[in-house]
Amino acid sequence: MSLQSLGYRALLKNGNVKALLPAYSLNIFAVSYLIGYYLNITLASIGGPALVGLFATVSNVFAGFLPLVAGAFADSHGRRYVILASAVFEVLALLSLALVSGSGGRLIVLPAVMLSASFTASSPALFSLMGESVPQDGMGKGMSLLLMASSASGILSYIVFGSMIGRISNPHLFALSALFVLISILFYLRVSETVERRAGRTFERFREALEGVTLLKEPPLKLFMAYLCFELFVSSIASPFVPVFLQKVYSLSVSQISWLYSAIGFATLMGAFIAGYVVDRIGSLNSLMLKDSLSIPLLVLFALAPFSGAFLSLAVLAFIEQLNVASNRYVVENTKREHRGLILGFKSSLAKLSAVPGPVVGTFLWGIGPGAAFIVPALLTPIGIGLLFLLRSAQKGG
């Protein structure tokens, strides 16, 4: 299976793709180790699992409305405008982390939330821009290129920054991350805009873009958002506690967890490559049903198996998780360009808001037993699969 047979090689010749991928890769390299595990571990060392749950909850609350606003601004002011603004806020958050991390106090939660929210806010503009820069029959592959760039840069992030943890202070580590985000901004400036800036004053352009929210009244999009709401709530129960589980249950050090995430990153990279082909071949809804069905036994295995089995299940989960590119593809192919950023922003906001109660539930389940934080989500997943069946049946009937 070659790049050429899947159409990836042709996409890599696209001017916007060539400009966007290195910028996005540098951005991911700068923050992946933080968002992936190190912020959670740092918070756990200060306040235990309860502080990890608090961070995830507060982060989801504050980030809940930003993608919606950012998506509307992406429709009214341009995709590149929002991407650049988000990157600037990431730099400010990282510099703030550098300032407060030395104290070891709970104030570190505030810039951590700001970093998570800023990074999330750019998602609607990024996927809108990529979807509009490639042919329709290559949307899945184009979005998978973003995931592959994310995976490859994440591997390097875990290795490079992971090797520096303990050797240099946290303030210097976070400042170095800020420097790489600054460099990524220089590359983002080379990206060409894919939508025309709306005429009128800033507020008027923004208000016109917000009118696209009426599209959410359409039955297919409404049911799809209901599925996302449930699925993201379920996944947020377990996801914040994966690095803590590895540390507490298997007694892995921070360095070992970093190398483990690096190894799993290779599975993610391969999964992203395959996902573009699968999603374009079998469709968005079928891809999501496949992903959810496979995740059920893997979550149970991670919770109950010895370390070798847990590692294998985590790697396969990372592999199939890349099929989530289908959710962005579904939105892009079912919305108009002038309101696409808003709907993708609503999707991202919904993801954060739906995940607000998840970490609280996960904290409660952790108190019962660490494995419960992963077994219960596995038992709830079939409900989401049922919603996808209903959506597919409704579309066939329509």
Side-chain angles (χ1 to χ4, degrees), residues 29-295:
F29 173 73
V31 302
S32 186
Y33 76 103
L34 285 167
I35 294 176
Y37 71 95
Y38 193 57
L39 276 180
N40 283 345
I41 288 178
T42 302
L43 293 171
S45 68
I46 295 172
L51 190 58
V52 176
L54 175 64
F55 161 66
T57 301
V58 175
S59 177
N60 287 332
V61 170
F62 276 86
F65 66 92
L66 285 179
L68 178 61
V69 175
F73 267 105
D75 288 336
S76 62
H77 291 71
R79 317 303 191 204
R80 194 178 71 156
Y81 174 89
V82 171
I83 294 171
L84 289 170
S86 298
V88 169
F89 278 106
E90 284 180 46
V91 172
L92 295 176
L94 287 165
L95 293 177
S96 298
L97 277 171
L99 289 174
V100 303
S101 60
S103 65
R106 292 174 180 261
L107 279 178
I108 195 173
V109 168
L110 298 179
V113 168
M114 182 180 177
L115 176 64
S116 175
S118 300
F119 185 73
T120 302
S122 65
S123 177
L126 280 165
F127 282 95
S128 293
L129 193 146
M130 178 60 82
E132 293 157 2
S133 298
V134 300
Q136 184 174 1
D137 59 357
M139 279 187 193
K141 302 180 191 71
M143 294 178 185
S144 287
L145 281 173
L146 288 177
L147 294 183
M148 282 189 274
S150 175
S151 299
S153 300
I155 293 171
L156 291 175
S157 179
Y158 295 142
I159 293 174
V160 175
F161 286 99
S163 66
M164 288 189 283
I165 293 173
R167 298 184 180 182
I168 65 174
S169 65
N170 279 345
H172 288 102
L173 199 66
F174 300 146
L176 184 60
S177 293
L179 176 61
F180 277 104
V181 178
L182 277 173
I183 297 173
S184 75
I185 291 175
L186 299 178
F187 284 89
Y188 278 133
L189 290 170
R190 300 170 55 197
V191 175
S192 299
E193 187 54 76
T194 56
V195 295
E196 293 184 6
R197 192 182 183 94
R198 292 176 188 256
R201 296 180 179 179
T202 298
F203 179 75
E204 292 174 348
R205 296 198 302 266
F206 179 70
R207 185 180 59 186
E208 289 176 4
L210 282 175
E211 292 175 358
V213 78
T214 57
L215 293 173
L216 295 169
K217 295 180 181 179
E218 298 179 3
L221 273 179
K222 185 188 298 184
L223 186 54
F224 184 70
M225 293 299 173
Y227 157 75
L228 286 178
C229 183
F230 180 79
E231 194 272 339
L232 293 163
F233 160 70
V234 171
S235 65
S236 70
I237 295 175
S239 56
F241 298 95
V242 171
V244 183
F245 187 87
L246 293 171
Q247 189 177 47
K248 300 296 183 182
V249 175
Y250 295 113
S251 302
L252 298 186
S253 67
V254 174
S255 177
Q256 288 172 324
I257 293 174
S258 179
W259 282 104
L260 178 65
Y261 269 67
S262 299
I264 291 174
F266 286 102
T268 303
L269 182 61
M270 182 58 66
F273 175 80
I274 299 297
Y277 173 74
V278 172
V279 172
D280 284 338
R281 183 69 179 270
I282 70 174
S284 301
L285 298 182
N286 289 332
S287 298
L288 291 171
M289 283 189 280
L290 175 64
K291 186 264 299 181
D292 287 349
S293 299
L294 293 175
S295 70

